[in-house]
């Protein structure tokens, strides 16, 4: 197992941000979780003490010893921001001195890179191209991401938990964000950086990137497994499978959401509920499609003359 090659990949100047991303992401998730857990305990404490909850402890007397009576921009916020700006500036200066910019020689059409990888912030899109048509992976999916972020304030109208971290009051919102950001984006960046080697083939960490490696894998479409050969039959079969996924998945999510998040269920209208389920199921469809390709070599599920899914 070539661990030296893994170190060469991880220490490459253009991969340093991805290596730094992993511990920083873990730290800030832990920090946010710690603050959310502390706020959850405080909320539970105030719910059990009605007198303390009515005192507006932040403006009159500190609710706990050591707390400030009021939080001002100066000196609290500006002091922290100023120190953070200095630290980040020092880090960037040391970074620029110790690591060379990842610039390469002029492009040569007779000698292309293998693997040819996009910048780290586009590796997620490049990995999605393995599982979807280019216009779906490059246009439709990013558009759904942008629209999904835009409609979140209109779908999640829960007034609780605004302005402070709390897991108890924002389970669905926080859980959905973590799934979308970590599972659907950060994980694909890591796969594209450390797993995808020459020919965009799958190499586990420690495996040597062999440029002469050949993999004889036959990718088949889902209708081919059932002996469907007609193009129209494939389109109808794929539409039924995709429709069944959204239908059965919607019923499963409905039962789960109604049981474990009844307050948000009662607060949402039918339109909000439908839009939310569409985006959640679309998010789940990406890892399902990836598993179908990686484990069962299924290329497409829905085949039409215009698009393939």
């Amino acid at each position: 197992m070539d661990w030296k090659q893994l170190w060469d990949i991880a220490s490459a100047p253009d991969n340093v941000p991805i290596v730094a991303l992993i511990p920083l992401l873990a730290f800030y998730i832990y920090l946010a979780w710690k603050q959310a857990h502390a706020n959850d305990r405080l909320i539970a404490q105030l719910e059990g003490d009605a007198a303390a909850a009515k005192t507006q402890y932040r403006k009159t007397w500190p609710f706990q010893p050591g707390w400030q009576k009021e939080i001002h921009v100066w000196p609290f916020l500006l002091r922290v921001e100023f120190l953070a700006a200095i630290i980040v500036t020092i880090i960037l200066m040391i970074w620029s001195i110790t690591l060379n910019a990842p610039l390469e020689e002029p492009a040569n059409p007779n000698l292309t890179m293998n693997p040819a990888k996009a910048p780290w912030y586009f590796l997620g899109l490049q990995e999605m191209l393995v599982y979807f048509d280019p216009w779906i992976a490059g246009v439709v999916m990013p558009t759904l991401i942008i629209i999904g972020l835009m409609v979140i304030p209109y779908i999640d109208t829960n007034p609780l938990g605004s302005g402070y971290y709390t897991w108890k009051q924002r389970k669905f919102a926080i859980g959905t964000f973590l799934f979308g950001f970590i599972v659907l984006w950060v994980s694909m960046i890591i796969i594209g950086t450390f797993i995808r080697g020459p020919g965009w083939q799958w190499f586990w960490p420690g495996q040597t990137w062999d440029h002469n490696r050949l993999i004889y894998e036959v990718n088949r479409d889902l209708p081919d497994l059932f002996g469907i050969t007609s193009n129209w039959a494939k389109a109808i079969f794929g539409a039924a499978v995709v429709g069944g996924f959204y239908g059965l998945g919607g019923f499963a999510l409905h039962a789960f959401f109604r049981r474990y998040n009844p307050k948000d269920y009662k607060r949402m209208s039918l339109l909000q509920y439908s839009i939310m389920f569409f985006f959640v199921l679309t998010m789940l469809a990406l890892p399902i499609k990836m598993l179908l390709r990686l484990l069962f070599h299924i290329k497409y599920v829905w085949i039409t003359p215009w698009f393939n899914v």
Side-chain angles (χ1 to χ4, degrees):
M1 301 180 71
D2 195 351
W3 293 103
K4 181 181 181 301
Q5 187 179 63
L6 180 61
W7 168 251
D8 293 338
I9 297 171
S11 60
D14 48 348
N15 291 339
V16 169
I18 306 171
V19 177
L21 171 70
I22 300 173
L24 287 175
L25 184 63
F27 169 75
Y28 283 109
I29 290 177
Y30 162 75
L31 183 63
W33 180 266
K34 181 179 178 181
Q35 294 180 1
H37 185 59
N39 288 333
D40 289 341
R41 287 185 298 177
L42 177 60
I43 291 171
Q45 188 176 354
L46 293 177
E47 287 177 347
D49 190 349
K54 295 179 181 180
T55 58
Q56 296 182 351
Y57 56 90
R58 283 285 190 173
K59 296 182 179 180
T60 54
W61 297 101
F63 182 73
Q64 293 181 0
W67 282 17
Q68 295 291 338
K69 293 182 180 180
E70 294 182 354
I71 304 298
H72 298 281
V73 173
W74 172 263
F76 301 103
L77 178 61
L78 290 181
R79 181 174 58 191
V80 173
E81 289 183 342
F82 180 69
L83 291 175
I86 293 177
I87 293 172
V88 171
T89 302
I90 294 174
I91 292 174
L92 291 177
M93 290 177 63
I94 297 175
W95 189 348
S96 63
I97 293 172
T98 56
L99 292 178
N100 295 324
L103 301 177
E104 300 177 358
E105 63 276 359
N108 183 358
N110 297 319
L111 182 62
T112 58
M113 295 177 59
N114 188 12
K117 294 186 178 182
W120 66 271
Y121 42 84
F122 282 142
L123 278 179
L125 292 177
Q126 191 171 0
E127 179 64 18
M128 289 170 57
L129 289 171
V130 178
Y131 313 101
F132 297 95
D133 277 354
W135 75 277
I136 293 181
V139 179
V140 175
M141 299 296 284
T143 302
L144 290 178
I145 293 173
I146 297 173
I147 296 176
L149 293 173
M150 293 170 60
V151 301
I152 284 176
Y154 302 98
I155 295 176
D156 187 7
T157 58
N158 180 11
L160 299 177
S162 297
Y164 56 93
Y165 291 109
T166 168
W167 169 253
K168 181 180 178 181
Q169 296 176 348
R170 311 291 290 184
K171 292 181 180 179
F172 178 77
I174 295 176
T176 304
F177 172 80
L178 290 177
F179 178 80
F181 180 63
I182 297 177
V183 177
L184 302 185
W185 193 247
V186 175
S187 62
M188 289 198 297
I189 292 177
I190 294 174
I191 290 173
T193 303
F194 300 104
I195 305 298
R196 293 297 185 179
W200 207 254
Q201 299 181 50
W202 189 283
F203 290 85
W204 290 107
Q207 283 186 316
T208 302
W209 283 15
D210 186 1
H211 289 260
N212 298 319
R213 180 190 182 192
L214 295 176
I215 299 179
Y216 297 95
E217 294 178 347
V218 179
N219 293 319
R220 296 173 294 178
D221 299 325
L222 185 61
D224 296 335
L225 299 179
F226 297 90
I228 301 175
T229 58
S230 171
N231 291 334
W232 284 105
K234 288 183 178 181
I236 296 173
F237 176 81
V241 171
V242 174
F245 167 76
Y246 278 94
L248 296 177
F251 280 113
L253 283 178
H254 171 73
F256 177 85
F257 199 75
R258 187 174 182 179
R259 179 176 181 180
Y260 294 100
N261 206 351
K263 293 183 179 179
D264 287 344
Y265 168 74
K266 295 178 181 179
R267 186 181 294 112
M268 287 185 178
S269 65
L270 179 60
L271 180 61
Q272 291 173 318
Y273 207 58
S274 303
I275 295 175
M276 180 195 69
F277 273 2
F278 170 75
F279 281 105
V280 170
L281 290 172
T282 304
M283 291 171 60
L284 293 174
L286 177 58
I288 291 175
K289 183 64 166 57
M290 292 176 63
L291 291 175
L292 288 176
R293 180 68 176 271
L294 295 174
L295 297 179
F296 304 104
H297 308 298
I298 295 177
K299 186 176 182 180
Y300 294 124
V301 175
W302 188 6
I303 301 148
T304 70
W306 308 279
F307 62 87
N308 300 311
V309 178

